[in-house]
Amino acid sequence: MRPTPSQTVGPFYGYALPFGGGGDLVPPGHPGAISVHGYVYDGAGDPIPDALLEFWQADEAGNLDGKPGSMRRDDVDGSFAGRDGVTFTGFARVATDLAGHWTLHTVRPGEVPYIAVCVFARGLLHHLYTRVYLDDTGDALLTALPADRRATLVAAPERDGVYRFDIRLQGEGETVFLDLG
Amino acid sequence: MPEPLSQETISREIAALAAESDGGDHPARDYPPYRSSGLRHPHRPLVAPPEAYAELRGPVFGASDVTPLDADLTRQHPGEPLGERITVTGRVTDRDGRPVRGQLVEVWQANASGRYPHQRDQHPAPLDPNFTGTGRCLTDADGRYAFTTIKPGAYPWKNHVNAWRPAHIHFSVFGTAFAQRLVTQMYFPGDPLFPYDPILQSVTDDKARERLVAAYDHGLSEPEWSLGYRWDIVLDGPAATWMEEGR
Ligand SMILES: [Fe+3]
């Protein structure tokens, strides 16, 4: 069967897709918690204030089964109840703010050396996949890339437990985006 | 001062790109008639990773992530929204026709006047206090989703002079693999704005573009209540063999 074509997420997803605590895979103070943050830039080097990022990763033990509860709902009034603070769902969703900045609070994935990322934006007709590697490991994708391109996939440690990862959609320092078939 | 960008110019660009369509299922990320794509598409070719693990699995949603009312966009406020009440339903499958079960489908749309309740939407059309225009549901064992809503209106945008989006509902769909993720838009049959819209026309293959248009289904219409539309969704993504080999 032929697939349904992609279309842009457009500018007005903001009241539909993001949800409270969308970037908080673990609660504050969680043992081993790390923060990954950065900007999304366009081809002119300007930050993109209306990008939407989704993250999907293994838990600390390397488990990729995923769990429900990322966008838990309140059965009384239908509002978002927030995650339960116990279950690691593996899924996060963060809209960039007006400065083009995003933040993810999570833990290091076990076994799988990267956090998978899906990028949506107004002006982007088909989403893009990339990966956040927390170290320049010997992973097959990193090894296959020339050094300057490889660097776009490796988050830079800023201070204890805080990593910087910018996404450049186009031009100098363009992030490596993936063809997943 | 630059000439205002006319529909004629955009339509000429649309026609030229349609004439050289490669028959692809998805829009090119670089589609000049949609001006916003200019600085927001990669110049470098995508890289096929030698290995994928996480992307072959995907997030899981469950009973706690939706309430039954989330699928009825007409019942989220004390009053009834204005507009033509409709139901939209269909199946989500993978390319082999296998149902995508228990996965999350999210929708958002303008109200009947073509206005989003977003502060950047400055279209001088009325907001509807009884309509927000967001919904979600989980697909059933057969991959089926269903929403009750109102038919959205067309709305103007700034791509060029006299640019109007045909009426559409935005859809976000998850597959069983993260690599099957889809965000798209569903259109209504027979809309006269189709040929003028660079976002719909970014899908340059005629057959592929038709797959974005729902079918009116009289059997789904409910007497004295609502009109029915059917729209099936096929998720792209890793070929079945690729997934089984876990390459
Ligand atoms: Fe829209």
Side-chain angles (χ1 to χ4, degrees):
Chain A
M1 297 171 78
R2 305 306 305 178
T4 304
S6 168
Q7 294 270 269
T8 178
V9 76
F12 298 136
Y13 62 80
Y15 61 99
L17 299 183
F19 51 93
D24 303 336
L25 272 168
V26 295
H30 185 87
I34 60 169
S35 300
V36 186
H37 76 113
Y39 292 81
V40 182
Y41 294 107
D42 70 12
D46 292 326
I48 296 182
D50 51 9
L52 182 76
L53 304 181
E54 289 183 347
F55 301 92
W56 161 242
Q57 67 165 90
D59 67 14
E60 284 171 293
N63 189 334
L64 275 169
D65 286 343
K67 296 282 187 302
S70 297
M71 45 180 86
R72 235 159 42 94
R73 307 284 285 176
D74 184 315
D75 185 39
V76 176
D77 64 8
S79 66
F80 283 111
R83 300 175 199 260
D84 64 13
V86 175
T87 307
F88 187 83
T89 71
F91 175 70
R93 178 185 276 169
V94 188
T96 53
D97 64 20
L98 289 171
H101 186 253
W102 57 272
T103 309
L104 174 71
H105 301 289
T106 187
V107 288
R108 280 180 164 267
E111 309 296 328
V112 183
Y114 60 87
I115 300 169
V117 186
C118 188
V119 183
F120 303 93
R122 175 181 65 82
L124 187 58
L125 284 158
H126 194 179
H127 57 258
L128 289 165
Y129 293 106
T130 187
R131 293 175 176 177
V132 179
Y133 287 84
L134 296 169
D135 306 286
D136 192 349
T137 60
D139 187 65
L141 172 63
L142 294 181
T143 311
L145 292 166
D148 61 325
R149 301 230 71 205
R150 179 161 74 226
T152 71
L153 298 183
V154 182
E158 278 191 335
R159 56 181 194 272
D160 200 26
V162 179
Y163 295 82
R164 173 77 178 261
F165 186 85
D166 292 335
I167 296 172
R168 292 184 166 79
L169 293 187
Q170 185 186 88
E172 196 176 331
E174 184 177 300
T175 301
V176 170
F177 296 107
L178 303 178
D179 175 3
L180 294 172
Chain B
M1 229 178 89
E3 282 279 289
L5 186 55
S6 69
Q7 179 71 54
E8 288 66 34
T9 301
I10 293 294
S11 291
R12 234 183 346 260
E13 294 178 13
I14 287 173
L17 289 163
E20 56 188 59
S21 173
D22 64 358
D25 293 309
H26 296 287
R29 292 182 179 86
D30 177 16
Y31 186 73
Y34 177 31
R35 288 297 192 256
S36 300
S37 73
L39 289 168
R40 294 186 169 197
H41 69 273
H43 285 161
R44 306 265 204 145
L46 304 188
V47 176
E51 297 170 305
Y53 323 96
E55 293 92 348
L56 301 186
R57 308 291 294 279
V60 174
F61 299 93
S64 61
D65 292 306
V66 294
T67 74
L69 265 180
D70 291 347
D72 189 341
L73 286 72
T74 69
R75 292 172 63 194
Q76 297 171 350
H77 297 276
E80 284 272 340
L82 295 171
E84 188 181 310
R85 191 183 296 105
I86 61 173
T87 57
V88 179
T89 186
R91 288 182 73 219
V92 182
T93 62
D94 66 15
R95 292 191 57 165
D96 293 327
R98 294 178 294 205
V100 173
R101 299 188 172 102
Q103 267 300 359
L104 183 69
V105 180
E106 297 162 283
V107 294
W108 68 105
Q109 62 167 90
N111 70 23
S113 305
R115 177 87 186 262
Y116 288 93
H118 190 296
Q119 64 175 9
R120 275 204 302 274
D121 184 1
Q122 294 299 315
H123 176 31
L127 287 166
D128 182 342
N130 291 313
F131 192 71
T132 305
T134 68
R136 63 187 68 74
C137 71
L138 299 178
T139 54
D140 70 11
D142 202 28
R144 198 166 299 281
Y145 71 87
F147 291 101
T148 300
T149 183
I150 53 94
K151 190 174 178 193
Y155 59 83
W157 60 306
K158 303 281 188 212
N159 191 66
H160 56 277
V161 176
N162 213 13
W164 287 83
R165 296 297 329 278
H168 59 273
I169 299 177
H170 295 266
F171 272 72
S172 157
V173 188
F174 288 83
T176 51
F178 198 51
Q180 288 177 299
R181 192 79 178 83
L182 178 70
V183 165
T184 188
Q185 303 179 25
M186 184 208 94
Y187 299 86
F188 291 85
D191 193 318
L193 291 169
F194 286 166
Y196 304 101
D197 179 41
I199 293 183
L200 175 59
Q201 298 299 327
S202 69
V203 181
T204 53
D205 180 69
D206 294 345
K207 284 267 179 298
R209 204 167 54 249
E210 283 164 19
R211 294 198 292 276
L212 291 175
V213 183
Y216 172 69
D217 185 334
H218 200 62
L220 283 176
S221 293
E222 289 183 43
E224 321 293 326
W225 184 247
S226 64
L227 294 176
Y229 290 88
R230 185 178 301 283
W231 189 55
D232 292 332
I233 297 168
V234 179
L235 298 183
D236 208 348
T241 49
W242 200 76
M243 290 189 61
E244 276 154 20
E245 288 165 10
R247 196 186 88 189

